[in-house]
Amino acid sequence: MSFPSFSAGRPIAGIALFTVAALALAGCAGGSTASPADGGTDAATATSLADFGALADLETAAKAEGQLNVIALPRTWANYGEILDLFAQRYPEITVNEQSPDVSSAEEIQAATANEGLDTAPDVFDLGLAVALQNTDRFAAYKVETFDEIPDALKEPSGLFVGDYGGYMSIGYDSARFPAPTQLSDLLKPAYKGAVAINGDPTQAGSAFAAVGLATVQNDGTLDDFTPGIDFFGELNAAGNFLKVDPTDATIASGETPVVFDWDYLNAAQASAVPTWKTVVLPGTGYAGYYNQAINKDAPHPAAARLWQEFLYSDEVQNLWLKGGARPARMEAMTSAGTIDEALAQALPTAPADTVVPTEQQSTTAGETLGQKWATAVQ
């Protein structure tokens, strides 16, 4: 899979952003759903809307199941709260079970393993690319109706996983307490003592993985070897500036994690609770990424899982990602069709002139390097 550049104006790490011009409970096993359109198609084997007949047939099948299990979807993450509420409003017959919203991509897969065969297993996943690449055997291939409008670089060809929304790795900080960092090395200064956090463990969490990737390229390294980025966080730790607390809305609001590496759309959202919170995308080479949607091949509610995917890639929800400050996967096609929210698109911050995203091989290699070196560097 190739990874094109990301254009100005319009999140291991997620699939590439493209240029425009380009988450164990006891329970009963869930049953599969036959499509009313063909009288016998098992929803768990459906690879496209055509297997159901039409959207109305898929909706009927999903309503008959009556449940959807989602995982790792914080409501303040890229406008997921509004998106979840809209799905619940549109389909009141389907109860949305929001499980463990703050877990990592790797923990989503662990939850699926722990709950396999139970009706509590997650139906769908939202994953960073490295974790998605490592777990394709857990996914069901499915192409949403708008699949052809998603750039090739943002999707596994059979629809095992598909990029959906993305952004740039950034630094968020409380401007009432800290000066604005203008380059990565500023964070090594005494002014940032005990203050700098990343969102999770980079061996498990996509945003943390990307933070190390950003540190790598900002230190003149390449994505072929994450060692410079690991070394930077080692220096940050040695200086006493690395804060080993996973940031959340609560830790940011309380001031416990006052400087945070995270995706730009997540950092920007913190300003609503902390008015002095600012977000910086460092000059120089930027690190971009998409998060990916996938269906659990053992989903207890396979029709609802597929309806959720169709919903997420609709014009309306793609614009809701944009409202959350993230770049939607179908942005180019929607711009051409005149269905993009132009005001929201214009409000996006300017992208770095140079942007990198790891290839599949680079993500795999980086994951191996992090597994070998990260814990030692920041112990």
Side-chain angles (χ1 to χ4, degrees):
M1 184 183 303
S2 62
F3 297 87
S5 63
F6 187 72
S7 173
R10 304 275 225 242
I12 63 224
I15 298 180
L17 295 150
F18 62 101
T19 184
V20 177
L23 170 24
L25 301 175
C28 302
S32 61
T33 304
S35 166
D38 60 19
T41 298
D42 189 336
T45 68
T47 60
S48 72
L49 192 59
D51 289 330
F52 293 92
L55 180 61
D57 301 311
L58 173 56
E59 291 173 330
T60 297
K63 291 173 183 178
E65 291 175 346
Q67 304 278 327
L68 173 69
N69 298 340
V70 300
I71 191 168
L73 307 184
R75 286 184 152 263
T76 55
W77 180 291
N79 205 25
Y80 254 125
E82 187 170 356
I83 291 168
L84 286 161
D85 289 344
L86 179 61
F87 186 86
Q89 177 184 350
R90 183 164 299 171
Y91 301 111
E93 305 90 345
I94 303 173
T95 299
V96 181
N97 304 303
E98 300 178 42
Q99 304 169 342
S100 307
D102 295 317
V103 302
S104 69
S105 293
E107 288 170 317
E108 294 184 55
I109 302 301
Q110 292 165 14
T113 301
N115 290 277
E116 188 170 351
L118 305 177
D119 64 5
T120 51
D123 289 306
V124 290
F125 304 110
D126 179 295
L127 303 163
L129 178 60
V131 173
L133 289 169
Q134 294 163 5
N135 293 280
T136 55
D137 61 336
R138 299 208 65 96
F139 308 151
Y142 185 79
K143 295 183 180 182
V144 294
E145 192 170 24
T146 54
F147 191 79
D148 289 345
E149 296 183 1
I150 301 166
D152 290 344
L154 298 184
K155 60 193 180 189
E156 191 280 330
S158 70
L160 285 173
F161 60 88
V162 184
D164 195 5
Y165 62 92
Y168 291 93
M169 185 48 47
S170 68
I171 300 170
Y173 67 100
D174 187 344
S175 64
R177 297 173 56 187
F178 300 91
T182 60
Q183 57 188 0
L184 197 68
S185 60
D186 286 347
L187 300 180
L188 297 171
K189 296 177 180 179
Y192 296 92
K193 195 79 170 180
V196 185
I198 62 174
N199 194 351
D201 181 334
T203 66
Q204 296 191 5
S207 57
F209 180 102
V212 182
L214 175 64
T216 295
V217 298
Q218 286 276 321
N219 279 297
D220 300 322
T222 73
L223 297 186
D224 293 322
D225 183 3
F226 267 37
T227 299
I230 296 171
D231 289 345
F232 169 77
F233 281 101
E235 291 181 59
L236 196 71
N237 187 56
N241 292 7
F242 186 45
L243 179 59
K244 299 175 186 177
V245 175
D246 287 353
T248 64
D249 295 344
T251 66
I252 291 173
S254 70
E256 184 181 1
T257 55
V259 182
V260 175
F261 279 88
D262 213 339
W263 299 111
D264 57 350
Y265 52 89
L266 300 183
N267 267 326
Q270 298 300 331
S272 61
V274 184
T276 53
W277 191 264
K278 304 296 182 183
T279 301
V280 170
V281 175
L282 293 174
T285 303
Y287 186 108
Y290 261 77
Y291 278 85
N292 305 279
Q293 303 294 338
I295 296 172
N296 183 356
K297 72 175 184 180
D298 298 314
H301 314 107
R306 286 155 176 80
L307 180 60
W308 174 248
Q309 301 301 306
E310 296 287 355
F311 174 77
L312 292 181
Y313 290 93
S314 67
D315 286 354
E316 186 172 12
V317 178
Q318 292 283 290
N319 274 320
L320 289 180
W321 296 127
L322 193 57
K323 184 177 179 181
R327 282 96 173 157
R330 293 181 52 238
M331 192 161 192
E332 181 180 24
M334 290 174 61
T335 299
S336 297
T339 57
I340 201 73
D341 188 315
E342 290 287 355
L344 293 175
Q346 292 301 318
L348 291 174
T350 301
D354 297 313
T355 299
V356 296
V357 183
T359 64
E360 294 181 19
Q361 184 57 56
Q362 287 172 330
S363 289
T364 299
T365 301
E368 293 170 350
T369 302
L370 283 163
Q372 294 163 1
K373 298 181 178 181
W374 177 256
T376 300
V378 299
Q379 66 183 1

